Amino acid sequence: MGKDDRRMRIGELSARTGVSIRSLRYYEQCGLLTSTRTAGAQRLYADDAVDRVRLLRRLFDGGLSSETIATLLPCVDTPSGDITVQALDVMRRERERIDAQISALLATREHLDALMVGAADHLARQRDDTLAATA
Amino acid sequence: MGKDDRRMRIGELSARTGVSIRSLRYYEQCGLLTSTRTAGAQRLYADDAVDRVRLLRRLFDGGLSSETIATLLPCVDTPSGDITVQALDVMRRERERIDAQISALLATREHLDALMVGAADHLARQRDDTLAATA
DNA sequence: GTAGAATCTGACATAGATGTCAGGTTCAAC
DNA sequence: GTTGAACCTGACATCTATGTCAGATTCTAC
């Protein structure tokens, strides 16, 4: 089953995902991303590595740590009972963390909005004063 | 104007805000929080320090850095034109950052939910299989 | 005035993803 | 074959808020 033997090197994967080469190597080191190697030890990736990296980015961007992601992935890749049970637990915890963080961000954003209104008012008042003084 | 001369030391402020003593000292070092000192150089805070610390926490929790907060505070404390103009700019940028981060978190949460459904399904199927084999 | 709790300063440690550099090897194209 | 680009590994740097420790000082209560 020859599949499509078209494989890319790390530079291309980096270009196609927008993720730095350094990070790709780091992901591999954490066991989040795998590659085959050429005779000369250069990494080769299949096309689906692009999707894998995008998945990783989404999880990283949601604030999951590499370690947490490493706990999750086996359940995605090779589901088995024991693995999945812990993974589900981790996912629940992460979900709660995300909810909490969203709440914090919303609260801060509102506070920021209030501050911005205050600041804008201050500037407007100041401008009016200046105009009045000039007139 | 004697005000209320009731002043607390750092331990009490820490207890009342839930923020570690270490962090309170750090905030002061960054210019985000001020204190008077006893003859023996111990920090004394007025009651309103509690609110100040809560404000700081809200901003920190929203992901603002101490440096960013330092840019903002003068506009809250002693509004003046120049300061306010830059502060408004910073606030706008932070607001955008917060929006982006919320989006990222929502996307991750959805992805996580999908993964959880898959994992739960897997477990359910597995359990059914076991039951069937036992029966 | 003395004991013990609280506080002071200054320094070093931590975490985690990523940047960056050095010195060496491999690959692709000509 | 040769050259220049791409890649390899390993190491050290970064950033920021906070923890922690040590040694000294101050405050509070008795």
Side-chain angles (χ1 to χ4, degrees), chain A residues 46-84:
Chain A
D47 259 5
D48 56 10
V50 173
D51 288 333
R52 164 57 68 120
V53 172
R54 290 205 178 116
L55 164 60
L56 294 178
R57 280 316 317 169
R58 189 166 311 207
L59 296 176
F60 272 113
D61 287 345
L64 280 74
S65 72
S66 60
E67 200 185 354
T68 301
I69 298 175
T71 310
L72 252 53
L73 284 188
C75 144
V76 175
D77 292 338
T78 58
S80 96
D82 292 354
I83 287 171
T84 305

Side-chain angles (χ1 to χ4, degrees), chain B residues 58-128:
Chain B
R58 187 165 314 203
L59 297 176
F60 272 113
D61 288 345
L64 280 75
S65 71
S66 60
E67 199 184 355
T68 301
I69 298 175
T71 310
L72 251 54
L73 284 187
C75 143
V76 175
D77 292 338
T78 58
S80 95
D82 291 354
I83 287 170
T84 304
V85 168
Q86 339 175 14
L88 260 180
D89 222 56
V90 168
M91 290 192 245
R92 269 191 276 266
R93 266 198 297 274
E94 287 301 321
R95 201 188 191 287
E96 278 175 27
R97 185 190 53 74
I98 288 176
D99 284 345
Q101 196 168 347
I102 290 176
S103 298
L105 288 170
L106 289 173
T108 303
R109 190 174 72 180
E110 259 179 58
H111 206 130
L112 224 43
D113 284 345
L115 289 181
M116 287 171 78
V117 169
D121 277 4
H122 172 75
L123 284 184
R125 234 176 297 114
Q126 198 173 48
R127 194 199 47 202
D128 291 350

Side-chain angles (χ1 to χ4, degrees), chain A residues 20 22-23 26-27 38 57 66:
Chain A
S20 75
R22 176 67 175 89
S23 293
Y26 175 68
Y27 298 164
T38 67
R57 280 316 317 169
S66 60

Side-chain angles (χ1 to χ4, degrees), chain B residues 20 22-23 26-27 38 40 57 66:
Chain B
S20 75
R22 176 66 174 89
S23 292
Y26 175 68
Y27 298 164
T38 67
R57 281 315 317 169
S66 60

Side-chain angles (χ1 to χ4, degrees), chain B residues 4-17:
Chain B
D4 195 0
D5 272 4
R6 171 95 185 74
R7 297 188 155 257
M8 62 189 131
R9 290 196 290 166
I10 199 169
E12 186 179 344
L13 182 57
S14 170
R16 284 175 65 181
T17 58

Side-chain angles (χ1 to χ4, degrees), chain B residues 21-43:
Chain B
I21 291 177
R22 176 66 174 89
S23 292
L24 294 176
R25 293 203 190 106
Y26 175 68
Y27 298 164
E28 177 168 329
Q29 181 187 324
C30 297
L32 309 179
L33 180 64
T34 55
S35 62
T36 56
R37 299 293 189 113
T38 67
Q42 299 201 347
R43 293 172 178 80

